[in-house]
Amino acid sequence: MIDDPNRTNMGSSTDFPWDSKIPEGHVADKWNNHKDHIKLVNPANRRKYHVIIVGSGLAGASAAASLAEMGYHVSCFCYQDSPRRAHSIAAQGGINAAKNYQNDGDSIYRLFYDTVKGGDYRSREANVHRLAEASVNIIDQMVAQGVPFAREYGGLLANRSFGGAQVSRTFYARGQTGQQLLLGAYQQLSRQIGLGQVKMYTRHEMLDLVLVDGHAKGIITRNLTNGKIERWAGDCVVMATGGYGNAYFLSTNAQGCNVTAAFRAYRRGAGFANPCYTQIHPTCIPVHGDQQSKLTLMSESLRNDGRVWAPKDKATAEKIRKGELDPNSLSEDERDYYLERKYPSFGNLAPRDISSRAAKEACDDGRGVASTGLGVYLDFRDAIKRDGHNAIKERYGNLFDMYNRITGDDPYSTPMMIYPAVHYTMGGLWVDYNLESNIEGLFVAGEANFSDHGANRLGASALMQGLADGYFVLPYTLGDYLGRQGIAAAGKVTTEAKEFEAVETQVKERIDKLMSINGKESGRSFHKRLGHIMWEYCGMARHKEGLEKALKLIPELREEFWSNLRLPGEANELNIELERAGRVADFIDFGELMCRDALMRDESCGGHFRTEHESPEGEAVRDDDNFAFVGVWENQGEGKEPKLHKEKLIYEEVKFTTRSYK
């Protein structure tokens, strides 16, 4: 363990080349101190600047609405047909905030501490504290926008618990929290669109980033309805493009979620941090069949009242799998409530990484219950007996209905079957405290950046980060960048610049290359094959030999992709297969980077579980002496290995301890 926070990390491959710009002072004072000293833009001058925002989920929509309200001209791009279809809408369970409405001892510090601990001490302390501070304002903001949070009898907003916390700090709107929050942000965005302050470009996919004199000054997009390649110039670029969980093919992400925008920025020089950090969510509907295109998340909030169990006996589990035994017929002595047994302090609300590994352990032991053997139960029998059918229906009714429609089973009378699935990615483009990447003028918000969750995200913190970045961080820090650039530079870069011509040419050449392969295998097929490699060798558990094998298989798959891809249609028209192929090509390259990062990080932490590093009880064993850093990869060009940089993680407030939820 580390006692001296100022000590130098052993094994650093190189001095870290970029300034993380963490403000001086106590962690609780950094953000206010920073805001007091950053550059401001005169309200009359803001209208002279033009901001490009890519992505219109919670982070993108809130940033666009806020910046437009301040007076900036904003162009917002998304590949969906409406911002309302951003994947943020799928986040069901809730959003954290340190309001302490329950009077159960919560505070900003406790939310900060829980988040750092939940991330297994691999997040940047100053960023996390700012997130906890902003959480309080987010709820007020969203209530003011009309988000219908659940309320107690007396009128106060209701709270429930999520994994990794012993207090109730999660605000929710039944099982539709993400949907209601996105509608709140969307209506503010729509207002600005109506006022002409935001120009919205739907069905446009960012295919590359344009740098002018080393600054991000524009993007190249493809109009997905007619195939037209277009140039867009601005004074800075904000990327809020979500995560990359679909590298695994099957995940809880919407099928359109991809890594293309972030990975193209990486190719232009933006550092990519901690790409191996993937969260496997423990509460998803198990896989059914080979032709499934995505997995369905059942909210973590269900673990407030549902009890997770598997049969104690393998033979019993086999009878259930064959349909010869009703799970309701098992006595208490025949059930293993393994989370309550292993983690008595947190029980069924153990964090996601730990709960996922415990489910896998039960299934690996032959006690899984789905037809594939890859499932455990989430049982509401006791909660219904205790609180009544109507109370449970009021809390989770829409989730129960969704489960019933997908599986045909009634969770009120028979336990749900769940199994872990790829859900969230904690890695992302590297950003400093201002959420600015190492490319000046390129800001990254929400899941697309790496900064707040370390190696594991606590439930209900994704919505919190997206809104904090958009509503409460970027309006300050983006103005600081523009203020430093100076009003004389506003609007000086246009799409006529030679840099736009060069990047557009490269984009077209890549599309032409894809269209000219004339092979026999579809992009979807290659994606599926990549997903098998990633899940097998870089999934819930990883080890050196498996990762080395993946790093041989992925280049072989890439070679086959570029020689045997089959693409119907034309490039200059609506062509969904071309869209997919471009994304799959990026997933293949990015999957290799993920495996490279996972192989480099020779420790277990959070969602990154190396089987060489586990305790006798099967818990993750960190190596703080050698791996307390952010691993940031810098592209060195096609065919060359990326360069690793290590940003040392310095903890001034929280000390490294063994992460325990027992």
Side-chain angles (χ1 to χ4, degrees):
M1 293 300 164
I2 295 172
D3 295 318
D4 177 10
N6 295 314
R7 66 97 180 88
T8 303
N9 283 307
M10 295 171 61
S12 293
S13 63
T14 177
D15 292 330
F16 194 68
W18 305 303
D19 183 1
S20 57
K21 299 177 183 170
I22 306 297
E24 297 292 329
H26 187 270
V27 68
D29 301 323
K30 289 179 184 292
W31 180 226
N32 284 330
N33 289 342
H34 192 56
K35 287 190 292 185
D36 288 344
H37 295 93
I38 57 179
K39 288 276 188 183
L40 299 177
V41 179
N42 183 311
N45 285 338
R46 291 175 195 157
R47 65 176 68 96
K48 299 172 183 174
Y49 288 106
H50 179 203
V51 179
I52 290 175
I53 296 179
V54 186
S56 60
L58 282 179
S62 57
S66 298
L67 294 168
E69 182 71 36
M70 294 170 71
Y72 296 106
H73 288 286
V74 177
S75 292
C76 187
F77 298 82
C78 71
Y79 64 78
Q80 298 96 343
D81 56 358
S82 165
R84 289 181 59 179
R85 292 175 64 82
H87 184 62
S88 302
I89 209 165
Q92 300 155 330
I95 176 171
N96 285 334
K99 285 285 199 182
N100 194 30
Y101 281 171
Q102 304 301 312
N103 200 26
D104 55 1
D106 200 11
S107 65
I108 288 174
Y109 181 85
R110 194 174 291 277
L111 175 54
F112 154 70
Y113 177 82
D114 286 348
T115 306
V116 172
K117 176 185 174 184
D120 222 349
Y121 304 90
R122 292 294 178 262
S123 52
R124 193 190 279 152
E125 193 178 60
N127 290 58
V128 177
H129 199 282
R130 178 177 63 189
L131 178 66
E133 292 173 56
S135 71
V136 179
N137 297 329
I138 291 170
I139 300 305
D140 296 339
Q141 171 103 357
M142 302 315 290
V143 169
Q145 290 180 9
V147 171
F149 286 117
R151 290 179 182 268
E152 305 285 7
Y153 176 76
L156 279 179
L157 301 184
N159 291 127
R160 56 190 177 196
S161 301
F162 259 53
Q166 290 180 308
V167 296
S168 295
R169 63 163 71 101
T170 304
F171 295 77
Y172 63 99
R174 296 190 68 186
Q176 308 170 348
T177 314
Q179 179 176 344
Q180 297 301 332
L181 291 173
L182 185 63
L183 288 173
Y186 172 67
Q187 70 179 359
Q188 297 306 310
L189 174 61
S190 297
R191 177 173 176 271
Q192 295 299 330
I193 294 171
L195 292 171
Q197 203 66 19
V198 174
K199 290 187 177 178
M200 189 73 218
Y201 299 92
T202 61
R203 302 295 288 152
H204 281 68
E205 181 165 35
M206 173 184 156
L207 292 185
D208 219 325
L209 179 71
V210 182
L211 274 56
V212 178
D213 297 330
H215 290 244
K217 293 296 180 186
I219 59 173
I220 303 295
T221 63
R222 180 173 183 271
N223 184 324
L224 300 181
T225 60
N226 59 22
K228 187 177 179 183
I229 304 299
E230 297 171 302
R231 310 173 187 178
W232 308 91
D235 292 297
C236 64
V237 176
V238 177
M239 286 185 52
T241 51
Y244 46 82
N246 275 347
Y248 292 83
F249 184 67
L250 283 182
S251 81
T252 64
N253 292 179
Q255 277 202 58
C257 294
N258 63 81
V259 75
T260 287
F263 198 64
R264 303 286 170 92
Y266 162 76
R267 284 197 176 116
R268 293 289 169 196
F272 211 109
N274 301 332
C276 77
Y277 287 168
T278 305
Q279 180 168 84
I280 314 291
H281 198 295
T283 320
C284 305
I285 297 177
V287 174
H288 290 81
D290 293 332
Q291 298 305 317
Q292 209 164 337
S293 58
K294 79 177 294 298
L295 296 171
T296 303
L297 169 69
M298 301 306 297
S299 170
E300 181 169 288
S301 63
L302 293 168
R303 290 196 280 144
N304 270 288
D305 289 300
R307 301 180 69 191
V308 179
W309 64 275
K312 285 183 179 176
D313 184 62
K314 295 179 187 177
T316 303
E318 186 173 356
K319 287 182 180 178
I320 293 175
R321 290 197 293 271
K322 291 179 178 177
E324 297 171 0
L325 194 62
D326 181 352
N328 284 318
S329 67
L330 267 64
S331 67
E332 284 294 294
D333 289 342
E334 294 174 296
R335 302 174 176 209
D336 177 17
Y337 295 97
Y338 56 82
L339 288 178
E340 298 173 30
R341 171 172 57 81
K342 295 178 67 173
Y343 309 102
S345 292
F346 285 72
N348 294 296
L349 286 173
R352 293 175 177 179
D353 57 332
I354 288 172
S355 301
S356 293
R357 283 198 290 276
K360 181 176 185 295
E361 184 181 306
C363 294
D364 288 349
D365 191 37
R367 297 185 289 122
V369 291
S371 58
T372 58
L374 300 176
V376 295
Y377 286 125
L378 180 60
D379 198 338
F380 290 84
R381 181 190 63 176
D382 294 345
I384 292 172
K385 281 183 183 174
R386 183 187 65 235
D387 299 333
H389 181 281
N390 288 339
I392 297 303
K393 183 177 182 180
E394 187 175 328
R395 291 172 202 161
Y396 313 113
N398 59 323
L399 296 172
F400 278 36
D401 290 345
M402 184 174 74
Y403 181 86
N404 175 253
R405 286 171 189 150
I406 293 173
T407 67
D409 290 334
D410 176 13
Y412 292 102
S413 59
T414 189
M416 285 184 181
M417 280 192 292
I418 56 171
Y419 193 68
V422 172
H423 177 58
Y424 190 89
T425 46
M426 286 72 69
L429 291 177
W430 181 87
V431 290
D432 62 17
Y433 189 70
N434 292 326
L435 303 185
E436 187 177 11
S437 75
N438 56 299
I439 295 176
E440 292 194 77
L442 176 63
F443 293 81
V444 191
E447 191 177 354
N449 77 38
F450 88 100
S451 68
D452 290 358
H453 306 299
N456 176 55
R457 177 176 65 79
L458 289 183
S461 287
L463 302 179
M464 181 172 62
Q465 189 207 351
L467 292 173
D469 289 357
Y471 279 132
F472 297 108
V473 180
L474 285 176
Y476 290 93
T477 61
L478 188 140
D480 175 60
Y481 168 78
L482 295 176
R484 284 186 281 111
Q485 289 295 294
I487 192 64
K492 293 298 182 187
V493 175
T494 71
T495 56
E496 300 304 313
K498 63 181 187 303
E499 290 86 353
F500 280 85
E501 177 73 31
V503 176
E504 181 183 326
T505 299
Q506 292 171 17
V507 167
K508 289 179 176 175
E509 287 174 351
R510 184 178 174 86
I511 291 174
D512 290 343
K513 187 176 177 183
L514 284 168
M515 296 299 301
S516 64
I517 296 173
N518 290 323
K520 297 180 179 178
E521 190 166 336
S522 69
R524 176 184 166 85
S525 174
F526 282 107
H527 193 181
K528 199 171 180 180
R529 289 169 63 188
L530 173 69
H532 283 303
I533 295 172
M534 296 300 296
W535 181 252
E536 181 69 22
Y537 302 113
C538 195
M540 208 171 348
R542 302 117 183 237
H543 54 77
K544 180 175 182 290
E545 291 74 20
L547 290 164
E548 288 175 341
K549 185 171 182 178
L551 288 170
K552 290 181 179 176
L553 293 175
I554 292 175
E556 292 171 5
L557 185 69
R558 179 193 300 116
E559 186 175 347
E560 195 175 342
F561 173 88
W562 285 104
S563 62
N564 195 32
L565 173 71
R566 176 180 176 275
L567 272 185
E570 302 294 334
N572 58 350
E573 62 183 12
L574 188 151
N575 190 333
I576 295 171
E577 287 303 305
L578 174 59
E579 294 171 31
R580 187 196 303 274
R583 296 166 188 168
V584 172
D586 290 332
F587 274 136
I588 291 173
D589 291 347
F590 182 70
E592 186 176 17
L593 188 68
M594 291 175 73
C595 293
R596 189 183 299 277
D597 189 52
L599 182 61
M600 174 277 294
R601 191 166 284 278
D602 192 17
E603 65 162 351
S604 291
C605 57
H608 171 64
F609 190 75
R610 287 280 295 264
T611 56
E612 304 99 317
H613 304 287
E614 61 179 314
S615 69
E617 296 80 25
E619 307 292 349
V621 176
R622 294 195 320 266
D623 180 355
D624 295 329
D625 288 335
N626 293 302
F627 290 96
F629 61 77
V630 179
V632 190
W633 297 91
E634 182 182 15
N635 185 37
Q636 300 295 301
E638 192 166 349
K640 297 180 181 177
E641 289 192 4
K643 187 175 183 179
L644 175 65
H645 303 288
K646 300 177 181 180
E647 180 194 349
K648 182 169 60 177
L649 287 169
I650 298 174
Y651 289 91
E652 299 172 341
E653 188 64 31
V654 176
K655 302 301 179 188
F656 290 99
T657 58
T658 300
R659 187 166 167 243
S660 173
Y661 291 92
K662 294 186 176 179

